[in-house]
Amino acid sequence: MSIPIASNAHRRLRVVWILLFWLTVGAAAYIFGVLSSTGQAVEDHVLAGSEFNTHPPAPLSLVSPFSIGVALVALGLVALWVHGIARALTVTLVPAVAIVASQLLKSEVLGRPDFLTLAAENTFPSGHMTVFATVVGAAVFALPRRIQAIAAVGGAVLLSVVSWQLLAFGWHRPSDVLGALALAGAGFAAVTLLTPLQRPPGVWLLRTASVGLALAGWLAAGVAIVLTLLAWQSGSTDMMLNAGQSGCIGLSLLAAHSLLRLAVLAHSPKGG
């Protein structure tokens, strides 16, 4: 009896680690990017390198209450068919709660000190990125296990594109994007922690996708750090924008990695 208990404890520790990781990312993004004058200065350089666009192309332009509702209902039905009612509730309620929470945090709970700009509006966390991150999480959780890795890789590409757009078009600061990714990752991790866990399958595609996303994510994050230091020394706003985009892309890949790991650990009553 000790082996299954130990294995289950180990799996639960993995989920706790993912939860703590994203809570740390979210807190660090807010403390450094919003509550510090240095962070605000760095992110102002990122915004200075962007070109504001009120009519961005897809996928950023696809967000609307109707499209969000359709996506969540469709994924909920898929999850109900493949995994059962508990998973269907997860893939519909976690995104819905996270999206509402992002708006409340941004407008009612969190503030932005006026270190550099008077009456600066708080934009942390990004509502658009919360939508995309949670919908990607819902897709990974809803689909059958044999294609969850494909969904995670596709979701990583989507999140990377959205991250690039949000910064390139001047809609958000890097901390806003990281806060949204943290909200999605922590939300799915918290729910997974409350559910029964199962042994992840030893499928080559799952392992390859998981390792690949993690390595690529940390590599992009490392590149972002180097570019930030070089941009700060040279005063290049274009390079600072590239640094912010690289960092957000790196964390997008890590978010997809976390969502995939959580999805394969979460118990499926139907064995989907």
Side-chain angles (χ1 to χ4, degrees):
M1 293 297 292
S2 60
I3 296 178
I5 293 175
S7 298
N8 186 66
H10 180 68
R11 289 190 286 270
R12 202 157 294 278
L13 282 175
R14 292 184 188 177
V15 179
V16 171
W17 158 246
I18 293 173
L19 174 60
L20 292 177
F21 174 79
W22 287 109
L23 289 175
T24 303
V25 168
Y30 183 67
I31 292 171
F32 178 76
V34 181
L35 297 184
S36 81
S37 57
T38 300
Q40 287 193 14
V42 170
E43 295 199 317
D44 280 354
H45 276 71
V46 174
L47 288 177
S50 66
E51 295 183 8
F52 188 71
N53 185 347
T54 57
H55 300 287
L60 193 55
S61 61
L62 299 178
V63 176
S64 70
F66 176 76
S67 64
I68 296 170
V70 170
L72 293 183
V73 169
L75 290 171
L77 292 174
V78 172
L80 179 63
W81 177 266
V82 176
H83 301 285
I85 184 64
R87 187 69 64 89
L89 291 174
T90 296
V91 304
T92 53
L93 293 181
V94 171
V97 170
I99 292 169
V100 172
S102 71
Q103 299 305 310
L104 291 176
L105 287 170
K106 180 161 48 179
S107 61
E108 303 295 335
V109 179
L110 303 177
R112 182 178 182 85
D114 300 330
F115 291 132
L116 304 174
T117 305
L118 292 179
E121 181 181 359
N122 179 50
T123 54
F124 180 98
S126 165
H128 281 77
M129 196 64 188
T130 302
V131 169
F132 281 103
T134 53
V135 169
V136 166
V140 175
F141 269 70
L143 293 173
R145 297 178 74 179
R146 61 181 178 275
I147 58 174
Q148 283 177 331
I150 298 174
V153 172
V157 174
L158 174 62
L159 295 180
S160 297
V161 172
V162 173
S163 296
W164 185 91
Q165 287 184 316
L166 287 172
L167 269 61
F169 300 141
W171 280 34
H172 277 289
R173 305 171 178 88
S175 61
D176 303 336
V177 176
L178 300 188
L181 292 171
L183 186 59
F188 277 101
V191 172
T192 303
L193 191 61
L194 298 175
T195 61
L197 302 180
Q198 62 186 6
R199 181 178 181 180
V203 179
W204 177 84
L205 182 60
L206 283 172
R207 291 181 176 178
T208 302
S210 179
V211 172
L213 289 171
L215 290 177
W218 286 115
L219 177 61
V223 170
I225 294 174
V226 174
L227 288 178
T228 299
L229 296 175
L230 293 175
W232 188 255
Q233 291 178 344
S234 64
S236 171
T237 56
D238 289 338
M239 186 181 295
M240 191 67 81
L241 173 62
N242 292 334
Q245 290 171 323
S246 179
C248 290
I249 288 173
L251 270 293
S252 294
L253 298 176
L254 292 178
H257 163 76
S258 294
L259 293 168
L260 176 59
R261 293 192 66 181
L262 292 170
V264 299
L265 285 171
H267 176 66
S268 174
K270 291 188 176 183

